[in-house]
Amino acid sequence: GHIRLSVPIVRLGDPVMASCTISPNCSKLDQEPQILWRLEDGPNQPGDRQQRLPDGTQESIITLPRVNLTKTFVFCLVPWGNSFQVLDQAELQAGYPPASPSNLSCLMYLTTNRLVCQWEPGPETHLPTNFTLKSFRSRADCQYQEDSILDCVPEDRQNTCSIARKHLFLYQNMVIWVQAENALGISESPKLCLEPMDVVKLEPPELQALDGSRDLVPRQPGCLWLSWKPWEPGRFMQQECELRYQPQLRGANWTLVSHLPSSEDQFKLCGLHRAPVYSLQIRCIRSPLPGLWSSWSPALQLRPTI
Amino acid sequence: GHIRLSVPIVRLGDPVMASCTISPNCSKLDQEPQILWRLEDGPNQPGDRQQRLPDGTQESIITLPRVNLTKTFVFCLVPWGNSFQVLDQAELQAGYPPASPSNLSCLMYLTTNRLVCQWEPGPETHLPTNFTLKSFRSRADCQYQEDSILDCVPEDRQNTCSIARKHLFLYQNMVIWVQAENALGISESPKLCLEPMDVVKLEPPELQALDGSRDLVPRQPGCLWLSWKPWEPGRFMQQECELRYQPQLRGANWTLVSHLPSSEDQFKLCGLHRAPVYSLQIRCIRSPLPGLWSSWSPALQLRPTI
Amino acid sequence: APLVSVTSLPPPLPLPRSFLLKSLEQVRKIQAGNSVLLEQLCATYKLCHPEELVLLGHSLGIPQASLSRCSSQAQQLTKCLSQLHGGLFLYQGLLQALAGISPELAPTLDALQLDVANFATTIWQQMESLGVAPTVQPTQGAMPTFTSAFQRRAGGVLATSHLQRFLETAHCALKHLVQP
Amino acid sequence: APLVSVTSLPPPLPLPRSFLLKSLEQVRKIQAGNSVLLEQLCATYKLCHPEELVLLGHSLGIPQASLSRCSSQAQQLTKCLSQLHGGLFLYQGLLQALAGISPELAPTLDALQLDVANFATTIWQQMESLGVAPTVQPTQGAMPTFTSAFQRRAGGVLATSHLQRFLETAHCALKHLVQP
């Protein structure tokens, strides 16, 4: 016995046709056995029609009008004594072609020296679907292709892939997109044009309180003395920072101090009177070249001088 | 310039001899330059003697009477203007030959199907030292070797190695030992003779309280009703279990109930009066075949019926 | 105490108790792995009825081993051990022929195959210790070849259900020997 | 405002400000990696004095690149860019020749080599945009071959200390161009 499917993988809801043939030299069977079908654990049922081919082969054909399961085992059987015997089994898969992956975005990390891209894969296809991050290097306008970069294949079921430093030109544009592929089709995300260093993800500097007891810092009421240094791996970048502070009182708002340098040995913040304790945070961005704001540093809790 | 060491790796405290030769065609130097030596960051010093070889080569020889550092860079220099020029550098390593690894022991795990052996590597040798778990299969008395098993190489700096199921005969004796090797020597641990299943590490059963409100369990004062089933992966083993319980009172001792079967649907523990709450634990061992006690199960806190 | 009560036969051989206990444990271990494999074949491939695969088993030529000499009525220890070894050897080969059945089942199948092979070795070594082993080990006969994934899975269902029945008989016989 | 004040030369080329800023950033990035490599060579192999390796550098044939046309007195932009590219190209080849220097230094060396190569490409593309690039890229000259681990490490000390000086000059010249 042998089952043939019109297609082994279909769209969910589409029809599929199956045939089961028994060759005439299957000596243990009747000459014209009745061929039956079973889907999964369902009942045995006859096919739509059964015929004898010129060479004596028996053939039964069945049409499944709508495939509703993502995975179906189809059995072909014949009666045998008081029971039935399975002659063959086929596996029918169903799902959807992939939608275009969306929301592709990338960040360049200086510690791992990798450009990490992530995306949303779109609705479940119910079929093994491969995602590939594709890219090529280009000149300023992203119109022309220079070298294409090795495809990046994400680890199992991760919607993220990272390109190693050796495949990157950090200061040259590249075009990046995601391709999704399964047995029912291929689709591509919109293309991204970026220079890896322009999406660098810096870490904030470490904000430190200057010890008020040191002679260097003359005491003055309602003030705080601070210092910070840029995050070491991003030190070669020209940066601009901003500081925010908030009195630890219910409903208090943050106050922002912008356009600060990336390094300060002795920064004075005065005019603080309303609360005994203030929370302070700092973050930085590459500037004047393009960049992304770092996250805010962990909050520092400080008491202004009295 | 070229440095030659009498040996590149020595025992700590042993002497070593070094020679530095300069060929006569080194045009930028004097015909008979003074050859100097430097150890690590130390001062420049002359060798023990310097001589001119028949072919015109200059050779300086120095003896380091005791090598006290595990790693020493030895430099050979010549004066040059107001300063010195390095001609060659050699690296001298020192340490100890490995001691015999000790306390080798093995456990057979049924979930990973691996025989895991661990040992103590002995004192630091200061040299790259490779440990290898070696083994062969044998008959009952461990006197004769049948197949030898692939060497097991531990992961970096781990004093443990695990042999996969496919290399094991679970019910046949094997001989296991550890070999330590570095540039200064080889040593072996004492040999272990064991049958993997005899060192199986079972997990304890899960101890459960039987719900006192069920009709099946007639209420009776000062009693607890318990049930347990063997840990699933060890279910095929004949086991013997023991239960211990302790009233939750300061200074109370454990009471032991031994020779219990590995499975109980309804076990009654009575005569408990002294405390409102009891802690109970159970553990099992393969029996009558050899085995190791499982750890005690997590403690169950129960209140006897009143 | 004599282990069997059949007269006009050589006296029963003394089987070490530890051998019997270890053999019983191995039977139960193999039974457990075998059950898991049968359940997986049913759950994953909906092949839950070995009785529907008889015809296929015939056409594939899936063999079955006998333990007739181990039945408690007419136990002949040497022949029983020899049948036990022969059957385990056969099923070990059959399980090996199933290699590639499916990535999900491979770990269970591999473990089972090793357990069966190890058990066969245990029996053989005991036969050697008793001096009742033939001078050469038996060699494996022709194994079925599978031409489709379905045939291999169906072969798996048949091999494991035959092995299950074989082990039930073996367990009963060994139990009888350890507690006569 | 003219970038240079030398007469009797073609008018200064307009270099995009973003190119200059990116070049400065790349110089600083390479300087940082270079310093790390120098420190590692000193800490790991006690090779802390490049001035003690001059003789060895001569015998190995470690080359050095010039930036004479970038000095602020007589800056000739096209020639300066060409020297900058040529020097970076040379050091990139030299760093590549150091491959296998030691497992501990390999990650730093690889990253540095890529940064230098990328910077050379940035300069070359800018020269192409300005229409001042030669029709063929320069090819790498013969690189030193090292016959011992010590020679390779000493070569590393020399290459990185030459590169350090080259970058200082480049930084100064680019700084002058961005803030005339």
Side-chain angles (χ1 to χ4, degrees):
Chain A
H2 182 61
I3 296 179
R4 231 183 308 259
L5 296 173
S6 55
V7 270
I9 302 176
V10 295
R11 262 176 189 264
L12 267 167
D14 276 5
V16 78
M17 209 181 71
S19 74
C20 181
T21 50
I22 306 178
S23 71
N25 52 17
C26 196
S27 59
K28 304 231 173 191
L29 292 179
D30 297 343
Q31 271 312 88
E32 298 210 356
Q34 193 204 357
I35 300 178
L36 295 171
W37 295 86
R38 189 197 293 163
L39 302 182
E40 293 285 294
D41 307 321
N44 296 341
Q45 52 175 294
D48 297 333
R49 64 172 193 277
Q50 181 168 341
Q51 59 187 3
R52 185 190 164 100
L53 302 182
D55 65 351
T57 300
Q58 287 288 327
E59 181 183 51
S60 171
I61 290 174
I62 193 169
T63 302
L64 312 177
R66 289 178 55 82
V67 180
N68 291 324
L69 291 173
T70 58
K71 204 169 181 180
T72 315
F73 280 107
V74 180
F75 293 85
C76 167
L77 308 95
V78 286
W80 176 260
N82 298 324
S83 146
F84 300 92
Q85 289 293 309
V86 173
L87 298 184
D88 199 9
Q89 184 200 46
E91 187 179 341
L92 177 62
Q93 281 185 280
Y96 299 108
S100 293
S102 56
N103 288 349
L104 174 64
S105 67
C106 303
L107 291 178
M108 178 73 209
Y109 290 93
L110 292 181
T111 36
T112 55
N113 256 325
R114 285 177 163 267
L115 183 70
V116 181
C117 298
Q118 57 177 25
W119 60 87
E120 284 166 24
E124 176 61 49
T125 64
H126 303 292
L127 293 173
T129 302
N130 291 326
F131 291 85
T132 313
L133 186 69
K134 302 181 90 79
S135 55
F136 60 79
R137 286 198 285 261
S138 177
R139 288 288 173 105
D141 50 8
C142 278
Q143 293 303 305
Y144 300 102
Q145 175 167 354
E146 306 220 319
D147 321 327
S148 71
I149 302 173
L150 208 70
D151 286 352
C152 184
V153 179
E155 282 183 43
D156 212 26
R157 291 167 185 282
Q158 296 287 303
N159 300 317
T160 174
C161 212
S162 80
I163 306 177
R165 170 70 181 93
K166 65 169 176 264
H167 300 301
L168 299 170
F169 272 91
L170 294 183
Y171 292 88
Q172 192 180 331
N173 264 329
M174 58 190 290
V175 177
I176 306 181
W177 71 100
V178 186
Q179 180 185 293
E181 179 171 12
N182 70 16
L184 298 178
I186 294 186
S187 72
E188 280 184 0
S189 74
K191 289 192 169 61
L192 217 59
C193 170
L194 58 82
E195 199 174 290
M197 266 313 193
D198 291 351
V199 292
V200 70
K201 180 67 182 166
L202 296 178
E203 293 295 315
E206 194 186 346
L207 196 58
Q208 285 186 309
L210 281 190
D211 189 354
S213 68
R214 291 199 314 182
D215 290 347
L216 288 166
V217 186
R219 287 173 69 91
Q220 180 180 344
C223 290
L224 288 173
W225 280 269
L226 306 165
S227 82
W228 62 87
K229 291 263 168 294
W231 176 59
E232 194 56 43
R235 192 180 265 275
F236 66 90
M237 279 190 176
Q238 213 177 320
Q239 297 173 43
E240 190 180 302
C241 302
E242 61 185 32
L243 182 76
R244 67 177 186 181
Y245 59 93
Q246 186 185 45
Q248 284 197 346
L249 294 171
R250 184 195 291 268
N253 289 325
W254 289 102
T255 306
L256 198 68
V257 188
S258 292
H259 305 297
L260 297 173
S262 63
S263 182
E264 271 289 3
D265 285 333
Q266 208 173 323
F267 182 80
K268 189 170 74 173
L269 190 64
C270 285
L272 307 171
H273 294 294
R274 283 172 299 161
V277 177
Y278 279 78
S279 287
L280 299 105
Q281 292 183 301
I282 193 167
R283 64 174 188 174
C284 301
I285 192 170
R286 186 181 185 226
S287 173
L289 288 170
L292 301 170
W293 278 107
S294 76
S295 54
W296 287 103
S297 67
L300 193 65
Q301 318 288 352
L302 287 183
R303 196 176 292 272
T305 50
I306 312 163
Chain B
H2 181 63
I3 297 179
R4 231 185 309 262
L5 296 174
S6 55
V7 270
I9 303 176
V10 295
R11 262 176 190 265
L12 268 167
D14 276 5
V16 77
M17 210 182 70
S19 74
C20 180
T21 51
I22 306 177
S23 72
N25 53 17
C26 196
S27 60
K28 304 232 172 190
L29 293 177
D30 296 344
Q31 272 313 88
E32 297 210 358
Q34 193 205 358
I35 299 177
L36 297 171
W37 295 86
R38 188 197 292 162
L39 303 182
E40 292 285 294
D41 308 321
N44 296 341
Q45 53 175 295
D48 296 332
R49 64 173 194 276
Q50 181 168 343
Q51 60 186 3
R52 184 190 164 100
L53 302 183
D55 64 351
T57 301
Q58 286 288 326
E59 180 184 50
S60 172
I61 289 174
I62 192 168
T63 302
L64 312 176
R66 288 178 56 83
V67 180
N68 291 324
L69 291 173
T70 58
K71 204 169 177 179
T72 316
F73 280 106
V74 180
F75 293 84
C76 167
L77 308 93
V78 287
W80 176 260
N82 297 324
S83 143
F84 301 90
Q85 289 292 308
V86 174
L87 298 183
D88 198 10
Q89 183 200 48
E91 188 180 339
L92 176 62
Q93 281 184 281
Y96 300 108
S100 293
S102 55
N103 287 350
L104 173 63
S105 67
C106 303
L107 291 178
M108 177 74 210
Y109 290 94
L110 292 182
T111 37
T112 54
N113 255 325
R114 283 175 163 270
L115 183 70
V116 180
C117 298
Q118 58 176 24
W119 59 87
E120 284 166 26
E124 176 60 51
T125 65
H126 304 291
L127 293 173
T129 302
N130 291 327
F131 291 85
T132 313
L133 185 70
K134 302 180 91 77
S135 54
F136 61 79
R137 287 198 284 261
S138 177
R139 289 287 173 108
D141 51 6
C142 279
Q143 293 304 304
Y144 300 101
Q145 174 166 353
E146 305 223 318
D147 321 329
S148 73
I149 302 173
L150 209 68
D151 285 353
C152 183
V153 179
E155 283 183 44
D156 212 25
R157 290 168 186 282
Q158 297 286 303
N159 300 319
T160 172
C161 212
S162 79
I163 306 177
R165 171 69 181 92
K166 65 168 176 264
H167 300 301
L168 299 170
F169 272 91
L170 295 183
Y171 292 87
Q172 192 180 331
N173 262 329
M174 57 191 290
V175 178
I176 307 181
W177 71 101
V178 185
Q179 179 183 294
E181 178 171 14
N182 70 15
L184 297 179
I186 295 186
S187 71
E188 281 183 3
S189 74
K191 289 192 169 62
L192 217 57
C193 170
L194 59 82
E195 198 174 289
M197 267 313 192
D198 291 350
V199 292
V200 71
K201 181 66 182 166
L202 296 178
E203 293 296 315
E206 194 187 345
L207 196 57
Q208 286 186 311
L210 281 190
D211 188 354
S213 69
R214 289 199 316 182
D215 290 347
L216 287 168
V217 186
R219 288 173 68 91
Q220 180 179 344
C223 289
L224 286 172
W225 279 270
L226 306 165
S227 82
W228 61 87
K229 292 261 168 297
W231 176 59
E232 194 54 43
R235 192 181 265 276
F236 67 88
M237 279 188 176
Q238 211 176 322
Q239 296 173 41
E240 188 180 304
C241 302
E242 61 186 30
L243 182 76
R244 66 177 186 181
Y245 58 93
Q246 187 185 45
Q248 284 196 346
L249 294 171
R250 183 195 293 268
N253 288 326
W254 290 102
T255 307
L256 197 68
V257 187
S258 293
H259 305 298
L260 296 173
S262 62
S263 182
E264 271 289 3
D265 286 331
Q266 209 174 321
F267 182 79
K268 190 170 72 173
L269 191 64
C270 285
L272 309 170
H273 293 292
R274 284 170 300 161
V277 178
Y278 279 79
S279 286
L280 298 105
Q281 292 183 302
I282 194 167
R283 66 174 187 174
C284 302
I285 192 169
R286 186 182 185 227
S287 173
L289 288 169
L292 300 169
W293 277 106
S294 76
S295 54
W296 286 103
S297 67
L300 192 65
Q301 317 290 350
L302 287 183
R303 194 177 293 273
T305 48
I306 312 161
Chain C
L3 295 175
V4 287
S5 53
V6 180
T7 50
S8 83
L9 278 173
L13 291 162
L15 280 179
R17 190 172 155 78
S18 77
F19 164 76
L20 291 170
L21 290 172
K22 285 203 278 180
S23 296
L24 275 166
E25 189 173 284
Q26 288 180 81
V27 169
R28 289 190 303 264
K29 187 171 197 301
I30 297 168
Q31 281 176 322
N34 206 36
S35 298
V36 170
L37 196 57
L38 266 173
E39 281 160 27
Q40 286 180 333
L41 281 162
C42 173
T44 314
Y45 300 109
K46 306 290 168 198
L47 295 170
C48 309
H49 306 286
E51 70 279 8
E52 289 183 347
L53 300 168
V54 175
L55 206 56
L56 198 79
H58 275 292
S59 76
L60 288 171
I62 307 275
Q64 233 173 312
S66 155
L67 267 182
S68 54
R69 302 307 179 103
C70 294
S71 71
S72 50
Q73 275 74 37
Q75 202 163 52
Q76 293 168 272
L77 200 49
T78 305
K79 288 188 174 152
C80 170
L81 280 181
S82 172
Q83 274 194 333
L84 196 50
H85 175 264
L88 291 168
F89 190 66
L90 176 84
Y91 287 117
Q92 180 261 320
L94 205 45
L95 292 172
Q96 215 158 28
L98 293 172
I101 191 164
S102 95
E104 297 99 315
L105 302 188
T108 315
L109 182 67
D110 290 350
L112 185 62
Q113 197 261 112
L114 284 167
D115 282 342
V116 175
N118 284 191
F119 189 21
T121 306
T122 311
I123 304 281
W124 184 262
Q125 292 190 347
Q126 189 57 45
M127 287 164 70
E128 285 185 334
S129 302
L130 296 174
V132 299
T135 47
V136 285
Q137 284 229 19
T139 51
Q140 204 62 266
M143 280 296 144
T145 50
F146 304 102
T147 58
S148 73
F150 163 66
Q151 286 186 2
R152 188 168 277 110
R153 290 173 209 146
V157 173
L158 290 169
T160 42
S161 54
H162 294 168
L163 177 54
Q164 204 73 330
R165 224 165 315 134
F166 180 85
L167 292 170
E168 277 157 24
T169 313
H171 195 263
C172 187
L174 289 163
K175 204 83 194 181
H176 186 255
L177 285 171
V178 81
Q179 292 158 330
Chain D
L3 294 175
V4 288
S5 54
V6 178
T7 50
S8 83
L9 277 173
L13 291 163
L15 280 179
R17 190 172 155 76
S18 74
F19 163 76
L20 292 171
L21 290 172
K22 286 203 278 181
S23 297
L24 276 166
E25 189 174 284
Q26 288 180 81
V27 169
R28 290 190 301 265
K29 186 171 197 302
I30 297 168
Q31 281 176 321
N34 207 35
S35 298
V36 170
L37 196 57
L38 266 172
E39 281 160 28
Q40 286 180 332
L41 281 161
C42 172
T44 315
Y45 300 109
K46 307 289 167 200
L47 295 170
C48 309
H49 306 286
E51 70 278 8
E52 288 184 347
L53 301 168
V54 175
L55 207 57
L56 197 79
H58 275 291
S59 76
L60 289 172
I62 307 276
Q64 231 172 316
S66 155
L67 267 182
S68 54
R69 303 307 179 102
C70 294
S71 71
S72 51
Q73 275 73 39
Q75 202 164 51
Q76 292 169 270
L77 200 47
T78 305
K79 289 190 174 150
C80 170
L81 280 181
S82 172
Q83 274 193 333
L84 197 49
H85 175 264
L88 292 169
F89 190 67
L90 176 83
Y91 288 118
Q92 179 260 318
L94 206 45
L95 293 173
Q96 215 157 27
L98 294 172
I101 190 165
S102 92
E104 298 98 315
L105 302 188
T108 315
L109 181 68
D110 291 350
L112 185 62
Q113 197 261 111
L114 283 166
D115 282 343
V116 174
N118 284 191
F119 189 21
T121 306
T122 310
I123 304 281
W124 183 262
Q125 291 190 346
Q126 189 57 45
M127 287 164 72
E128 285 184 335
S129 302
L130 295 173
V132 301
T135 48
V136 286
Q137 284 229 22
T139 51
Q140 204 63 267
M143 282 295 143
T145 49
F146 302 103
T147 58
S148 72
F150 164 66
Q151 286 187 3
R152 187 168 277 112
R153 290 173 208 148
V157 172
L158 290 167
T160 42
S161 55
H162 294 168
L163 177 55
Q164 204 73 330
R165 225 167 312 134
F166 180 85
L167 291 170
E168 277 157 25
T169 313
H171 195 263
C172 187
L174 288 163
K175 205 81 194 182
H176 187 253
L177 284 170
V178 81
Q179 293 158 330

